[in-house]
Amino acid sequence: MTAAQGLARYETTLAGLERKGRRRTLVAQAGADFSSNDYLAFAGSARLAAAIASALERGVPAGAGGSRLLRGNHPEHEALEAEAAAFFGTGRVLYFGSGYAANTALFSTLPQRGDLIVYDALVHASVHEGIQASRAQAVAAAHNDVEAFAQAIEHWRSTGGTGHPWIAVESLYSMDGDRAPLTELAALAEKHGGFLVIDEAHATGVFGPDGRGFAAGLENRAHVIVLHTCGKALGVSGALLGASAVLCDYLVNRARGFIYSTAPSPLMAAAVREALRMLVDEPQRRADFDALRSFANAELTTKLGISSSGSQILPVLIGDNGRAVRVAARMRAEGFDIRAIRPPTVPEGTARLRIAITLNVDHATITHMFSRLAVIMAEEKP
Ligand SMILES: Cc1ncc(COP(=O)(O)O)c(C=O)c1O
């Protein structure tokens, strides 16, 4: 075996992806933003920039220099966690470097051998990653089907399951833009002595009172765990995992991704603190965003004749991978930054454009974009 043969394996796989219209490449951002999750336009805001500059000035370091369990535990992390726990109304909060890392840590650490994880069929890849490393059993439930979650738990119990069930959902699905039935799922988890884990990645900052998400009101319950990512509407990076003090303490002691990793940048923690303050101080942004989101939903239906999700995530289903890629590329060439999302990120045969509405675009740009999309979709025949 030569080294060249070793590399050939990867080339073969990439060629296979190419044939199926699934090869991914990195495309630079350009044109009007219809694909970021910077929903409230916080990322480039003067206020966040000033907060970072002032943190630097008061001596907050760029790097933590170590794990949270060692020298890397900076006062900015602790201040953020205390403020976030008060803001979201949860027992305690742990700040992770990313939502991906938080979900992986949570699902690989908290569910125990003998437990059952029932996850929504459309839940994020980071949840799957955590589940794969978990000692608990896991089973998928049909998307947003409370009865399917209930049946999975009942079947497991009737076949000897003795541990605790864990229900894993997103409050607003990242590729479909629809909402989970959180109240019913919280009741189901409680009925079975289980836990409900709610990933609020796409709801934090934009929905609920002061942008506290759809789980606001459920967060003080001991059996509910909520993840608020900071890289989307909050415009920064990292994730705030809210749970009871005992579960957070357990993660600090057992979550390998928390223990054996350099703590997130204290500067980012300072910026997230400011972003939480902005949610409270700048309600106009959310009001503007609500209006823009409603407008975009109506425009989608008028121009393309399809029903819309109601949220800021507007999937335009195309089906065929190649056609999705061609339509997205033509839209980008016209100055609209739209990306095609293909399997395995979404189920087979459901390649789509994921159009995201943010305050980085205005009404006129949305109208122009949907008009051009209608024309280009008609030209790019299936
Ligand atoms: C639902 C959901 N959970 C978790 C994540 C991961 O969060 P992060 O981007 O902070 O790693 C994402 C981001 O893509 C997401 O959409």
Side-chain angles (χ1 to χ4, degrees):
M1 273 291 182
T2 63
Q5 283 168 322
L7 287 181
R9 298 173 298 176
Y10 305 106
E11 279 158 8
T12 306
T13 302
L14 289 170
L17 289 173
E18 182 84 52
R19 268 197 310 281
K20 291 186 233 151
R22 278 201 193 179
R23 185 164 178 165
R24 293 160 157 143
T25 52
L26 297 173
V27 175
Q29 49 172 256
D33 176 8
F34 284 105
S35 58
S36 87
N37 305 307
D38 180 25
Y39 302 126
L40 298 174
F42 273 20
S45 69
R47 189 161 161 188
L48 272 192
I52 292 171
S54 116
L56 271 173
E57 221 153 81
R58 62 173 194 273
V60 175
S67 159
R68 286 290 296 279
L69 281 172
L70 300 172
R71 174 97 182 161
N73 188 34
H74 193 274
E76 285 296 326
H77 298 129
E78 298 208 334
L80 167 61
E81 290 172 345
E83 287 164 15
F87 178 73
F88 290 113
T90 186
R92 190 170 157 195
V93 163
L94 277 186
Y95 181 48
F96 283 81
S98 73
Y100 199 101
N103 267 334
T104 307
L106 192 171
F107 285 97
S108 62
T109 310
L110 293 182
Q112 306 285 295
R113 193 185 300 283
D115 287 357
L116 173 74
I117 305 169
V118 189
Y119 58 93
D120 189 281
L122 297 187
V123 87
H124 193 257
S126 51
V127 173
H128 287 275
E129 185 88 8
I131 288 173
Q132 266 170 23
S134 168
R135 293 189 171 83
Q137 261 176 269
V139 62
H143 178 53
N144 271 348
D145 183 344
V146 179
E147 196 42 43
F149 280 87
Q151 278 171 8
I153 296 172
E154 280 152 21
H155 175 73
W156 165 73
R157 278 274 185 249
S158 69
T159 51
T162 54
H164 296 269
W166 293 75
I167 293 174
V169 297
E170 293 175 30
S171 61
L172 185 77
Y173 280 86
S174 61
M175 295 299 154
D176 293 73
D178 58 341
R179 288 177 58 175
L182 294 184
T183 312
E184 291 88 334
L185 291 169
L188 182 67
E190 194 156 23
K191 176 176 164 197
H192 290 281
F195 296 87
L196 171 64
V197 183
I198 305 170
D199 183 337
E200 289 258 60
H202 297 275
T204 304
V206 291
F207 293 104
D210 284 335
R212 287 191 277 124
F214 288 123
L218 292 175
E219 288 208 46
N220 53 359
R221 303 204 192 166
H223 75 298
V224 174
I225 299 165
V226 182
L227 183 73
H228 298 283
T229 63
C230 311
K232 303 184 194 296
L234 299 186
V236 197
S237 71
L240 299 162
L241 192 150
S244 60
V246 63
L247 293 182
C248 288
D249 224 15
Y250 190 85
L251 286 168
V252 168
N253 279 274
R254 284 285 159 81
R256 298 174 66 79
F258 184 87
I259 300 168
Y260 299 108
S261 182
T262 299
S265 161
L267 269 187
M268 287 303 108
V272 176
R273 292 176 69 192
E274 187 71 3
L276 294 181
R277 286 190 284 266
M278 285 166 73
L279 291 181
V280 178
D281 299 348
E282 301 186 19
Q284 190 57 42
R285 275 192 198 250
R286 212 161 26 257
D288 292 346
F289 178 70
D290 288 350
L292 198 66
R293 188 183 65 229
S294 302
F295 176 77
N297 272 265
E299 283 292 86
L300 169 75
T301 303
T302 311
K303 301 274 179 346
L304 298 186
I306 57 177
S307 63
S308 66
S309 68
S311 76
Q312 74 278 24
I313 298 168
L314 299 172
V316 176
L317 279 197
I318 293 200
D320 177 66
N321 296 339
R323 182 170 177 241
V325 170
R326 286 196 305 278
V327 173
R330 283 192 59 188
M331 290 300 285
R332 285 198 301 278
E334 298 207 8
F336 306 107
D337 196 349
I338 289 179
R339 310 296 171 110
I341 310 288
R342 291 162 282 169
T345 305
V346 291
E348 202 62 53
T350 71
R352 67 195 66 184
L353 308 178
R354 175 190 183 272
I355 296 177
I357 301 302
T358 72
L359 287 180
N360 294 318
V361 297
D362 59 15
H363 290 70
T365 311
I366 290 174
T367 298
H368 187 200
M369 181 275 289
F370 279 128
S371 302
R372 289 303 303 149
L373 183 56
V375 171
I376 288 172
M377 282 185 60
E379 285 174 4
E380 286 294 337
K381 297 261 179 296

